[in-house]
Amino acid sequence: MELDELKKSWNVVDTKLDKKALVDEQEMAKLISSGKANTQKQLGHLSLIQRISLCVGGGLLLLLIPAWIWAPDFMESQSHLTRKVIILLTFLAISLIAGLLWDWKTFQHLKSIRIDEMSIVEVSRRMNIFQRHMRYETIAAGIWIVLFNALYFWVMGYHQAPPSTQALVIALLLAADILIIYILYKKVMYKYINDIRKNIEELKDICTE
């Protein structure tokens, strides 16, 4: 009799443990699904930014081509400015072509990240590569801005202006540059990257439990 009661009590305990294990597995599956969905959403935002960048860059390049061709005719009466403007437009065209190639490369890299088909480790590895690309891009953007500002300063003749005017122009350009880089990279790109990395770390913790 005692043996039967003991068996029943063990069966009750086993049933409870099985139910608890099932609930834990279901909860874990929900957490993993939620983490993957959030990661995919953030990747979608990054891809959208890359698409916009490609479209804007392509549009600006198309506008630069006729400007580069017709600039000498429009500025015939100001021949001293024609050469400077052509140099500036050529610099912008080369910059846009290089930027489009780089954006296409990073866009294709983002598209290659398949959350549902890859392991968390592989997704993490590819995000590390993308983050490294963004670090290079930020450095390149900073260097480009310095070069563009110097060229713009020269084309507009500010180097011949009074020191107070030069200082004001430099301060305004510098403030605008810092603001653009801060908003574009710190508040937009790196925000999504950090959110993705956070989701990946949470998924790693869940999968190792």
Side-chain angles (χ1 to χ4, degrees):
M1 195 66 182
E2 291 180 0
L3 184 60
D4 291 337
E5 290 178 357
L6 184 61
K7 286 182 178 180
K8 287 180 181 179
S9 64
W10 275 113
N11 288 335
V12 170
V13 171
D14 288 341
T15 302
K16 289 182 178 179
L17 288 174
D18 290 340
K19 287 182 179 179
K20 185 176 183 302
L22 181 60
V23 170
D24 289 343
E25 288 180 5
Q26 291 175 343
E27 194 67 29
M28 186 176 294
K30 287 181 181 179
L31 290 172
I32 292 174
S33 177
S34 176
K36 286 184 175 181
N38 288 333
T39 303
Q40 188 64 57
K41 182 180 178 182
Q42 305 304 329
L43 282 173
H45 289 316
L46 289 174
S47 295
L48 178 61
I49 293 171
Q50 295 299 107
R51 286 194 190 97
I52 293 173
S53 180
L54 286 167
C55 291
V56 171
L60 289 175
L61 186 60
L62 290 176
L63 290 175
L64 273 180
I65 293 173
W68 189 81
I69 294 172
W70 293 325
D73 295 331
F74 282 121
M75 304 184 68
E76 189 174 357
S77 60
Q78 296 177 310
S79 57
H80 64 287
L81 280 178
T82 303
R83 183 174 63 89
K84 291 182 177 181
V85 171
I86 291 297
I87 291 174
L88 178 61
L89 291 176
T90 302
F91 173 78
L92 290 174
I94 293 172
S95 300
L96 284 171
I97 292 171
L100 285 169
L101 292 174
W102 177 260
D103 283 346
W104 179 254
K105 176 183 176 181
T106 54
F107 176 65
Q108 291 300 316
H109 181 77
L110 279 176
K111 282 181 64 178
S112 70
I113 301 176
R114 310 286 183 179
I115 302 297
D116 293 327
E117 301 174 9
M118 295 177 176
S119 66
I120 297 172
V121 174
E122 179 62 18
V123 172
S124 179
R125 185 186 71 82
R126 296 196 180 207
M127 279 308 303
N128 285 337
I129 294 173
F130 181 76
Q131 186 172 8
R132 189 161 62 246
H133 287 170
M134 287 299 100
R135 193 179 302 120
Y136 295 153
E137 184 175 319
T138 306
I139 295 171
I143 295 172
W144 182 88
I145 283 173
V146 171
L147 293 174
F148 173 77
N149 286 346
L151 191 57
Y152 178 77
F153 201 81
W154 172 67
V155 169
M156 300 304 294
Y158 289 124
H159 61 291
Q160 297 174 338
S164 58
T165 303
Q166 293 186 29
L168 178 61
V169 172
I170 291 172
L172 290 174
L173 290 173
L174 185 61
D177 297 339
I178 292 173
L179 185 63
I180 291 171
I181 289 180
Y182 179 77
I183 293 175
L184 180 59
Y185 290 100
K186 181 68 176 179
K187 288 297 184 180
V188 179
M189 299 297 290
Y190 276 100
K191 176 184 178 298
Y192 292 132
I193 291 173
N194 291 334
D195 287 344
I196 291 172
R197 292 193 63 81
K198 182 180 177 183
N199 288 332
I200 289 173
E201 292 303 318
E202 289 176 353
L203 286 170
K204 284 181 180 179
D205 290 340
I206 292 170
C207 293
T208 54
E209 286 180 356

